[in-house]
Amino acid sequence: MLRIENLTKRFGSNSAVDNVSFTVDKPMMIGVIGASGAGKSTMLRMLNRLNDATEGSIFFNDHDVTRLQGKAKREWQSECAMIFQQFNLVPRMDVVSNVLHGTLNKRGTLATLFNLYPTEDIHKAIEILDRLGIAEHAPKRAEALSGGQQQRVAIARALMQDPQIILADEPIASLDPMNAQIVMEALRRIHEEDGRMVIANLHTLDTARRYCDRVIGMRQGRVVFDGTPEQLTTGVARDIYGAGAGFSEAATSTEIEALNTPEAVPA
């Protein structure tokens, strides 16, 4: 289904992603973990073709995604929806219009320019918002919502694309624990109920263990762990985050967050 072969991204002399290979043969929920600068975000941006790979290939159903250009590339970006840490909504636009932006790659220039949407698309957007528990906020400006509600709007926008893959780049990093749980449960339900592949960059081990079927650990641009949540032991965590990380046996969120301070190296 999804096959990554020797994927590499260099920024000057620095390899943000270094010779990464893995295969996903069925829809599953995958957590990608690692300290800031490990290459997690860069890898997701290459999967979505927001960044081009320096070397290597990405295959989806045996089609080489890394070679796509123009319309074919835009179609892939609809099939592989992206959710960002900072939501990337239009703050002064109403919620339902933000969700409808998920159809932009499929609409004509005139319709986009005048913000014209088919009635069926509007109904679909509201149904998705209802599924995520925020339909009552459809007429409000996005900026009037809480962070957790805005992230659910971003998820709704991604679902509006009807993608086969959802990529979530640190989707809960800026949320409080309650909203983080709501967002992760929503992503898990989407995977289970829709049969969609979800790949999420996560900053805590406990989140990866709780919600994911498979965990990929990255360190300095390379994959250093690929296994089940049950295999994600404290010893493995030290391999991912560094021997000097000093985890307790519980490997708490606070301990992991301390390792995710911003760095100059792209994440």
Side-chain angles (χ1 to χ4, degrees):
M1 192 170 187
L2 178 66
R3 189 169 82 254
I4 312 300
E5 294 183 349
N6 309 118
L7 196 63
T8 298
K9 180 64 177 180
R10 298 191 188 93
F11 295 95
S13 60
N14 173 62
S15 291
V17 174
D18 188 3
N19 201 35
V20 165
S21 298
F22 62 88
T23 299
V24 186
D25 58 11
K26 63 180 180 179
M28 57 196 321
M29 186 154 177
I30 301 171
V32 184
I33 62 172
S36 180
K40 306 184 302 295
S41 294
T42 302
M43 183 178 72
L44 256 61
R45 292 177 70 87
M46 283 192 287
L47 291 180
N48 184 257
R49 290 296 311 279
L50 290 173
N51 284 350
D52 290 331
T54 305
E55 295 173 8
S57 299
I58 301 163
F59 293 93
F60 186 74
N61 291 338
D62 294 325
H63 296 292
D64 189 350
V65 172
T66 50
R67 304 291 180 261
L68 299 178
Q69 298 295 332
K71 181 181 178 182
K73 177 181 174 180
R74 291 192 297 274
E75 288 174 351
W76 166 248
Q77 289 173 327
S78 291
E79 288 290 308
C80 184
M82 193 88 171
I83 299 166
F84 300 90
Q85 178 182 344
Q86 299 302 330
F87 322 134
N88 281 22
L89 302 177
V90 181
R92 297 176 67 83
M93 184 176 286
D94 63 76
V95 164
V96 73
S97 294
N98 269 284
V99 175
L100 287 161
H101 273 193
T103 66
L104 290 183
N105 280 346
K106 301 175 182 178
R107 297 169 62 224
T109 304
L110 191 64
T112 299
L113 185 63
F114 290 98
N115 226 27
L116 302 173
Y117 300 99
T119 301
E120 62 200 55
D121 281 358
I122 296 172
H123 289 164
K124 180 181 177 182
I126 294 173
E127 286 172 3
I128 293 171
L129 288 169
D130 186 50
R131 179 182 181 188
L132 294 169
I134 50 173
E136 70 273 19
H137 299 298
K140 297 180 183 177
R141 286 184 176 181
E143 63 188 359
L145 273 58
S146 70
Q149 291 167 340
Q150 289 188 53
Q151 191 61 288
R152 279 184 278 168
V153 174
I155 294 171
R157 180 184 58 195
L159 286 176
M160 197 69 195
Q161 298 177 211
D162 194 21
Q164 296 196 55
I165 303 175
I166 292 179
L167 305 175
D169 190 11
E170 300 281 9
I172 61 171
S174 59
L175 304 181
D176 62 75
M178 184 184 72
N179 277 302
Q181 179 177 338
I182 291 170
V183 166
M184 290 305 301
E185 288 176 350
L187 290 173
R188 182 70 202 183
R189 284 198 312 273
I190 288 164
H191 159 63
E192 292 179 346
E193 296 172 5
D194 299 1
R196 302 181 202 268
M197 185 186 303
V198 177
I199 305 177
N201 286 345
L202 301 171
H203 66 294
T204 64
L205 296 184
D206 50 359
T207 303
R209 287 175 176 140
R210 181 173 182 182
Y211 295 102
C212 298
D213 306 307
R214 176 177 172 184
V215 180
I216 293 174
M218 295 186 68
R219 183 178 180 188
Q220 296 178 345
R222 289 181 169 268
V223 171
V224 295
F225 172 78
D226 186 352
T228 66
E230 293 75 21
Q231 294 170 318
L232 190 57
T233 63
T234 302
V236 169
R238 290 194 179 101
D239 290 339
I240 297 169
Y241 289 94
F247 297 126
S248 68
E249 288 303 310
T252 65
S253 301
T254 301
E255 290 169 329
I256 303 300
E257 286 169 357
L259 297 169
N260 280 276
T261 52
E263 297 176 0
V265 180

